């Protein structure tokens, strides 16, 4: 196999310089368990240096750059990412275990985020406000300053695109702490950012452990905004750390998202979405459709057809580009298997075959017979496990859908327009998809949750408001 690394992965980017840390962390390929690279183990000292470099960038060329020039730089970076999409995809596939086609889609999504935010950079502005005679009042939309970005391992490129892309577009200088399990595409992205001509310190990337680099970043008094995606427990810790500095935080913490299938649904249209949204990225997706709520009149038919799809799933090494790869790590496999051990009297409707041998394989598993309050119908499993729950009425479907601590995404499958509107209004979540699920991931669509799924919105124009603040200017001139 050709070496997918075209750069020194043991170097991190701080203030425009590529530096090594005193220690490094191994990089494992989840498809075979082999160590194939190393990354720096940054800690408090490196975070400190990165925050200082970001402040210098804000005070220098980056802070003075006009919005249109900033936008053009991001657009150029997007083109570089698109040109290297194949290399980035291979890197991600080896690092995360994501099938090549899904990794390629992530790379192209990163390019698209940069195109979108590059184009938007000079189109976000304040307003004038009619006020008392003798005054002119207007608002200025300005960057927070230095923003921290703590990114998980499941969709590194997409999450960097939506958070770092939007923050840079608004003129913030960023300190990015990728997940220790998945730093390679973040480091590759930083190389491309240098090639695109991003001024020193505008983007700093410090790989390292969550408890070290992540904790140092979220508690740093020099950070003005933190964007975090990951688990509820870590998100709460990040928010608490940032609160000590009275710093705003955006939290995207996952979910237990339902797809709700009514008895008049177009099942042929729904079925591919029902399964794909559960097993995509081995179920390690914040917006995974881990609960399938089905009207009892069509429940047997839906389970039978989903089971057929499950049995046909091809699971294998990421570079072989099957339907599903391994989960990220032995630890994550242990977490998912721990949940499956609680399945107890649930029925395994279908399970796909997984490879023998090394690699972190978890069989895609479709479960029936769970009451809505069963632990497997409540907890975010973050693995390829879906639970089917029948319902008898629209009111019951809504109660079950809203009956978890989470509220990220929901899908509704029905031809009844009034039912669609009621569900869209009453579902307790941040995004509702009617007769689809995910809308192809559109970068234009604001994204985020309610409840334990977090708060704040990324993606679309909404992210540009989140990564900036409004200043009101009132001039009394007579
Ligand atoms: N919402 C999502 O997209 C998402 C992504 C990854 C994991 N998860 C959930 O989290 C579970 C565990 O995965 P995990 O342990 O990798 O998630 P995590 O939340 O601990 O890690 C996410 C990011 O936070 C960093 N981090 C960890 N501890 C930190 C701390 N004390 N301060 C600041 N940053 C810290 C990590 O280094 C990583 O970059 C999964 O099973 C899944 O349920 C959700
Ligand atoms: C929204 N998405 C799929 C990019 C990331 C959540 O895991």
């Amino acid at each position: 196999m050709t070496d997918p690394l075209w750069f020194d992965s043991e170097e991190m980017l701080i203030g425009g310089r590529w530096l090594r840390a005193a220690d490094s962390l191994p990089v494992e390929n989840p498809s075979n368990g082999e160590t194939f690279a190393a990354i720096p183990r940054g800690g408090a000292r490196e975070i400190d240096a990165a925050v200082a470099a970001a402040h210098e960038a804000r005070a220098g060329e980056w802070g003075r750059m006009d919005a249109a020039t900033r936008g053009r730089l991001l657009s150029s970076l997007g083109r570089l990412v698109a040109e290297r999409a194949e290399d980035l995809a291979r890197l991600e596939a080896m690092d995360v275990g994501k099938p090549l086609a899904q990794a390629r889609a992530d790379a192209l999504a990163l390019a698209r985020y940069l195109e979108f935010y590059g184009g938007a950079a000079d189109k976000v502005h304040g307003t004038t406000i009619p006020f008392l005679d003798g005054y002119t009042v207007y608002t200025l939309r300005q960057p927070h300053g230095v923003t921290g970005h703590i990114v998980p391992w499941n969709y590194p490129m997409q999450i960097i695109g939506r958070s770092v892309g939007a923050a840079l577009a608004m003129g913030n200088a960023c300190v990015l702490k990728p997940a220790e399990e998945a730093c390679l595409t973040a480091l590759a992205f930083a190389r491309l950012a240098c090639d695109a001509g991003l001024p020193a310190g505008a983007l700093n990337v410090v790989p390292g452990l969550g408890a070290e680099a992540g904790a140092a970043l979220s508690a740093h008094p020099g950070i003005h905004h933190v964007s975090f995606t990951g688990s509820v427990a870590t998100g709460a810790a990040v928010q608490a750390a940032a609160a000590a500095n009275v710093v705003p935080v955006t939290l995207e913490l996952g979910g237990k998202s339902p797809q709700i299938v009514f008895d008049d649904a177009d099942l042929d249209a729904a079925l591919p979405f029902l399964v794909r949204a559960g097993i995509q990225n081995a179920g390690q997706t914040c917006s995974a459709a881990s609960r399938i709520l089905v009207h009892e009149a069509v429940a047997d038919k839906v389970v039978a057809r989903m089971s057929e799809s499950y049995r046909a799933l091809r699971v294998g090494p990421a570079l072989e580009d099957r339907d599903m790869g391994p989960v990220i790590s032995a630890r994550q496999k242990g977490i998912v298997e721990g949940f499956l051990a609680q399945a107890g009297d649930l029925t395994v409707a279908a399970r796909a075959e997984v490879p023998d041998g090394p690699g972190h394989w978890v069989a895609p598993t479709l479960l029936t017979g769970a009451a809505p309050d069963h632990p497997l119908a409540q907890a975010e499993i973050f693995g390829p496990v879906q639970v089917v729950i029948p319902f008898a009425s629209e009111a019951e479907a809504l109660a079950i859908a809203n009956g978890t601590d989470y509220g990220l995404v929901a899908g509704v499958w029905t031809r009844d327009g009034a039912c669609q509107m009621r569900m869209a209004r009453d579902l307790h979540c941040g995004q509702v998809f009617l007769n689809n699920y995910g809308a192809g991931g559109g970068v234009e669509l604001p994204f985020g949750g309610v409840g334990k799924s977090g708060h704040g919105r990324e993606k679309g124009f909404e992210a540009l408001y989140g990564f900036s603040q409004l200043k009101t200017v009132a001039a009394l001139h007579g």
Side-chain angles (χ1 to χ4, degrees):
M1 181 186 308
T2 54
D3 186 353
L5 281 174
W6 74 86
F7 56 90
D8 183 348
S9 66
E10 292 195 57
E11 291 180 342
M12 62 194 145
L13 180 63
I14 298 177
R17 295 169 61 216
W18 287 95
L19 305 170
R20 296 176 102 79
D23 203 357
S24 63
L25 297 166
V27 178
E28 186 203 40
N29 181 341
S31 295
N32 57 25
E34 285 170 13
T35 296
F36 67 99
I39 50 167
R41 179 177 175 173
R45 200 150 46 108
E46 288 76 15
I47 290 290
D48 223 26
V51 173
H55 277 270
E56 274 178 42
R58 282 285 314 143
E61 184 190 354
W62 181 244
R64 287 193 301 272
M65 191 177 282
D66 62 87
T69 309
R70 239 179 15 237
R72 278 193 289 272
L73 258 177
L74 288 185
S75 302
S76 307
L77 175 53
R79 284 192 291 277
L80 289 185
V81 168
E83 280 165 21
R84 299 302 290 261
E86 210 50 45
D87 296 330
L88 289 163
R90 281 182 71 79
L91 206 54
E92 197 79 297
M94 288 186 71
D95 201 7
V96 177
K98 196 176 284 239
L100 208 46
Q102 292 174 36
R104 190 178 296 126
D106 285 5
L108 293 174
L110 170 57
R112 170 69 185 130
Y113 274 114
L114 293 162
E115 178 187 61
F116 179 83
Y117 286 124
D122 60 353
K123 295 166 189 69
V124 183
H125 49 73
T127 52
T128 55
I129 299 171
F131 193 57
L132 301 175
D133 186 38
Y135 281 89
T136 296
V137 179
Y138 61 96
T139 57
L140 294 172
R141 194 158 276 285
Q142 297 180 318
H144 291 293
V146 175
T147 51
H149 303 260
I150 301 176
V151 167
W153 40 261
N154 54 342
Y155 288 85
M157 288 192 277
Q158 288 208 35
I159 295 170
I160 288 170
R162 77 181 188 213
S163 103
V164 171
L168 288 173
M170 292 311 296
N172 297 283
C174 302
V175 179
L176 166 62
K177 208 300 281 175
E180 49 270 44
E181 299 88 346
C183 286
L184 295 183
T185 52
L187 291 168
F189 170 68
R191 295 270 169 186
L192 297 178
C194 292
D195 293 349
L198 210 66
L203 171 67
N204 305 275
V205 181
V206 181
L209 298 175
E212 297 174 358
L217 181 57
S218 49
H220 202 290
I223 290 286
H224 304 121
H225 180 284
V226 182
S227 163
F228 173 85
T229 303
S231 65
V232 175
T234 304
V238 165
Q239 179 162 312
N245 299 315
V246 198
V247 163
V249 175
T250 303
L251 295 180
E252 201 273 87
L253 307 178
K256 191 71 181 174
S257 298
Q259 289 204 64
I260 306 163
V261 185
F262 284 91
D263 54 355
D264 67 340
D266 178 346
L267 293 186
D268 289 335
L271 264 141
F273 287 89
L274 299 184
V275 175
R276 201 185 310 134
I279 61 100
Q280 180 179 318
N281 203 30
Q284 305 162 119
T285 302
C286 51
S287 50
S290 48
R291 294 185 297 157
I292 304 295
L293 278 46
V294 194
H295 191 278
E296 57 190 16
V298 290
D300 288 348
K301 197 191 290 184
V302 169
V303 169
R305 291 188 62 180
M306 285 185 74
S307 298
E308 208 177 302
S309 302
Y310 260 71
R311 284 190 283 270
L313 286 172
R314 300 162 312 132
V315 181
L319 290 179
E320 292 181 18
D321 206 11
R322 310 265 174 89
D323 301 313
M324 199 188 97
V327 296
I328 183 84
S329 61
R331 173 173 168 255
Q332 194 61 26
K333 179 176 154 88
I335 291 175
V336 180
E337 288 178 346
F339 278 112
L340 287 173
Q342 299 175 48
D345 53 355
L346 304 193
T347 303
V348 176
R351 191 171 260 158
E353 296 287 319
V354 294
D356 284 332
H360 307 306
W361 306 108
V362 176
T365 305
L366 182 67
L367 296 168
T368 58
D373 61 353
H374 189 284
L376 270 70
Q378 288 288 318
E380 182 178 54
I381 296 174
F382 231 59
V385 180
Q386 287 178 294
V387 178
V388 180
I389 306 171
F391 64 84
S393 66
E394 185 180 321
E396 190 188 4
L398 189 64
I400 297 171
N402 287 344
T404 74
D405 291 341
Y406 294 102
L408 191 59
V409 168
V412 178
W413 295 90
T414 177
R415 292 180 165 97
D416 178 342
C419 173
Q420 291 171 6
M421 294 304 108
R422 286 190 296 272
M423 295 298 283
R425 180 193 62 198
D426 296 336
L427 280 163
H428 191 55
C429 59
Q431 283 189 328
V432 176
F433 297 103
L434 303 173
N435 293 324
N436 78 96
Y437 195 81
V443 308
E444 304 86 344
L445 314 182
F447 180 70
V450 302
K452 288 203 172 149
S453 290
H455 52 74
R457 295 291 177 266
E458 292 187 346
K459 302 181 63 175
F461 253 69
E462 212 52 41
L464 298 169
Y465 303 135
F467 283 111
S468 59
Q469 53 192 331
L470 206 61
K471 181 185 285 174
T472 303
V473 182
L476 176 59
H477 42 68

